[in-house]
Amino acid sequence: MLLTELLSPSAEGLGRAARHLAEGRLVAFPTETVYGLGGDARDDRAVASIFAAKGRPAFNPLIVHVPDMSAAARLAVFSDQALRLAAAFWPGALTLVLPMRDDSGLSPLVSAGLPSVAIRMPAHPVAVALLHAFGGPVAAPSANPSGRISPTRADHVMDGLGERIAAVIDGGACMVGVESTIVGLSPRPTLLRPGGIPAEAIEDCLGVPLAAPDPAPARPNAPGQLSSHYAPAAAVALGVTAPDPGDVWIGFGPLSGASGLNLSPTGDLVEAAANLFHYLRAADRRAGPDGRIAVAPIPEKGLGRAINDRLRRAAAPR
Ligand code: TXA
Ligand code: MG
């Protein structure tokens, strides 16, 4: 339990909020769309604690917030179409899904292991001031518990997440009130989520109609969605308490021992989530395409539900 601070958007309040972010804590802040629950997008543990605070049952990829174009260009590769949309609608309620740069420095948990990243440059002066004060990319989903309505005022955030996060910056009511419009560009311009900027305005800017998203994500076990997530080349076995001799073992908790890849020797689910994508990659490299990764049982509670969701996708037949 935390005592959640209610900060004013003064220089002092913003400085305090930036310090929380720099030390890996979570701060809710106003954007023109909805309040966001922010954490350092480069810090695995901070990103894992965003999922924990929201009680999300799965690791959906998060939107990364930046203050300006040079910060955006350090994270993603901008095509001509991406540059055109950014010039027309940033800062504002548009999120672009773009190929992530290899040297982005982002936590793989931010994009749920995808090779792309969702980026947004908010227009709200408090959000912009916070991003400048912090000086790094901020991952921020809407600042509500999973499955609840998005918050458009600081007291909504306090009601839903009070005592789960370090601070809320009170910037008054959000002007737009619905989340940003999300557009992907590869292989072609696609409306991934309708939102604060009308799709027609985006189509006018690009001069082409936006495609509808692949319906596969609506069916959680469809191969289309599974293949769009990070799947190891090696086979993956779950709930393994005694690995075979040739297995690459990913453990969890004190019973798994300290050797090899233990997601959390103390059984801490936030630490385990922070390590998950790194360890899956490391295990995949060690196992090779003909090998097998064996994963210890993870409790189905708290972030364990999100970890198991990702592991089931990684282990699904393909
Ligand atoms: O208005 C907003 O966009 C708010 C404020 C706080 O900025 N943020 C927000 O973030 O709504 P979030 O994390 O809830 O939105 C995440 C959504 C995902 O559910 C997914 O639809 C999309 O963004 N997304 C993120 N990364 C993606 C990726 N790499 N590929 C496809 N979709 C992605
Ligand atoms: Mg949301």
Side-chain angles (χ1 to χ4, degrees):
M1 280 257 200
L2 281 168
L3 191 61
T4 301
E5 297 170 358
L6 186 62
L7 299 173
S8 78
S10 60
E12 195 196 335
L14 290 165
R16 198 164 168 79
R19 206 162 336 115
H20 282 311
L21 291 175
E23 289 169 8
R25 291 186 288 273
L26 305 184
V27 175
F29 61 97
T31 81
E32 71 276 32
T33 58
V34 299
Y35 274 72
L37 175 57
D40 185 342
R42 303 160 298 191
D43 179 342
D44 296 317
R45 245 194 118 89
V47 178
S49 53
I50 292 175
F51 291 103
K54 283 183 67 88
R56 269 203 182 176
F59 295 132
N60 301 334
L62 303 178
I63 296 173
V64 178
H65 297 66
V66 294
D68 51 42
M69 202 55 205
S70 66
R74 284 196 287 274
L75 305 179
V77 181
F78 281 73
S79 63
D80 288 345
Q81 282 180 322
L83 288 172
R84 195 178 326 160
L85 290 177
F89 298 106
W90 279 358
L94 175 68
T95 294
L96 295 174
V97 174
L98 302 172
M100 193 193 300
R101 283 178 54 143
D102 290 338
D103 59 353
S104 70
L106 295 170
S107 165
L109 209 47
V110 160
S111 60
L114 293 169
S116 55
V117 59
I119 301 185
R120 164 157 132 75
M121 190 191 297
H124 196 293
V126 174
V128 176
L130 176 67
L131 291 168
H132 279 299
F134 173 55
V138 171
S142 53
N144 53 284
S146 181
R148 302 256 301 272
I149 295 168
S150 295
T152 54
R153 298 168 56 126
D155 57 306
H156 299 167
V157 181
M158 277 291 187
D159 286 348
L161 297 178
E163 300 183 338
R164 295 197 215 171
I165 63 178
V168 182
I169 308 175
D170 188 353
C174 301
M175 304 301 291
V176 177
V178 296
E179 283 93 340
S180 60
T181 304
I182 305 181
V183 170
L185 292 170
S186 113
R188 63 209 157 101
T190 303
L191 181 66
L192 298 174
R193 178 177 80 183
I197 302 224
E200 292 81 355
I202 294 163
E203 294 178 328
D204 284 350
C205 174
L206 290 176
V208 293
L210 289 171
D214 183 342
R219 303 193 307 270
N221 288 316
Q225 188 190 14
L226 294 172
S227 60
S228 77
H229 279 79
Y230 177 72
V236 180
L238 303 182
V240 178
T241 46
D244 291 345
D247 285 344
V248 175
W249 169 241
I250 298 182
F252 175 81
L255 294 180
S256 295
S259 67
L261 299 164
N262 190 326
L263 288 168
S264 172
T266 61
D268 173 354
L269 289 164
V270 173
E271 181 184 26
N275 287 330
L276 179 65
F277 289 107
H278 293 293
Y279 285 14
L280 273 176
R281 277 173 201 273
D284 200 22
R285 277 195 302 272
R286 286 188 206 173
D290 301 322
R292 188 174 91 141
I293 301 168
V295 189
I298 311 287
E300 186 73 9
K301 59 168 206 236
L303 274 196
R305 288 190 299 151
I307 294 170
N308 284 324
D309 170 82
R310 281 301 292 116
L311 286 171
R312 278 192 290 272
R313 291 171 201 275
R318 50 183 184 270

